[in-house]
Amino acid sequence: MLRIFNKIFATGIVTESVKPPKDDELEQLGIAIKRHIDSKFAGSIAIREVDAGSCNGCELEIHALNNPYYDIERFGIHFVASPRHADVLLVTGPVSRHMQTALLRTYEATPNPKWVIAVGDCAACGGEFGVSYASCGAVSNVIPVDAVIAGCPPTPLALMKGLLGLIGH
């Protein structure tokens, strides 16, 4: 153990310095979202993400919203662990038969008023899986959907634009 510490102290810091991200489109989009959230939701909105049977491509893009580059929390958007604290359900994937009941319970546990966003092509139309003995297909076949964000997977900017479209109408 002491040998490892000695090596760490001898080597020093070898990572690159962090450059602050500069993306004008991201900043303008975030400011627009923050204005709508401040005026309609008293400063913040809570999202519960539900994976109803996706390949996890959409989840990787959704998780990117929380990384230091996008840092969506600075615009007043928070991800929560319980649907009871959520304003928005972000549902990904075609709804597998095994997740149908869980998705319905999650929807019922979310307090009104609530929005549901189907994220990704699979959530929008069932994708390659469609409706079968193992899949209910699109999210709208199981619960009411207020907005769809298309893409396979949708980029973080597309996700933010979809949120702005829903919040802004």
Side-chain angles (χ1 to χ4, degrees):
M1 185 70 140
L2 189 57
R3 191 170 22 145
I4 293 173
F5 283 131
N6 285 336
K7 184 177 180 180
I8 290 170
F9 290 129
T11 304
I13 298 172
V14 294
T15 56
E16 295 177 14
S17 61
V18 178
K19 296 176 187 171
K22 185 83 173 161
D23 188 341
D24 291 336
E25 183 182 4
L26 173 65
E27 289 302 317
Q28 290 173 359
L29 193 57
I31 290 168
I33 289 173
K34 182 69 176 152
R35 278 194 199 121
H36 285 289
I37 288 174
D38 285 345
S39 66
K40 295 180 180 177
F41 297 97
S44 70
I45 190 168
I47 296 175
R48 169 71 177 138
E49 196 274 327
V50 180
D51 179 352
S54 80
C55 68
N56 290 332
C58 293
E59 278 73 25
L60 291 173
E61 299 299 322
I62 291 169
H63 287 226
L65 291 172
N66 286 316
N67 70 23
Y69 184 81
Y70 293 101
D71 191 18
I72 198 168
E73 285 209 20
R74 67 187 154 139
F75 303 125
I77 299 173
H78 308 279
F79 285 87
V80 294
S82 171
R84 296 185 194 285
H85 304 143
D87 303 305
V88 178
L89 291 178
L90 212 57
V91 185
T92 61
V95 181
S96 69
R97 298 277 179 201
H98 292 291
M99 284 298 295
Q100 182 179 8
T101 303
L103 181 59
L104 283 168
R105 287 182 181 169
T106 301
Y107 180 78
E108 291 167 2
T110 306
N112 287 320
K114 56 191 161 199
W115 286 329
V116 176
I117 303 174
V119 175
D121 290 343
C122 293
C125 67
E128 291 185 30
F129 307 99
V131 178
S132 69
Y133 71 94
S135 172
C136 300
V139 173
S140 60
N141 293 343
V142 179
I143 58 175
V145 172
D146 299 296
V148 172
I149 301 173
C152 184
T155 64
L157 276 178
L159 291 167
M160 289 178 68
K161 288 177 183 174
L163 283 169
L164 179 61
L166 180 65
I167 294 169
H169 83 270

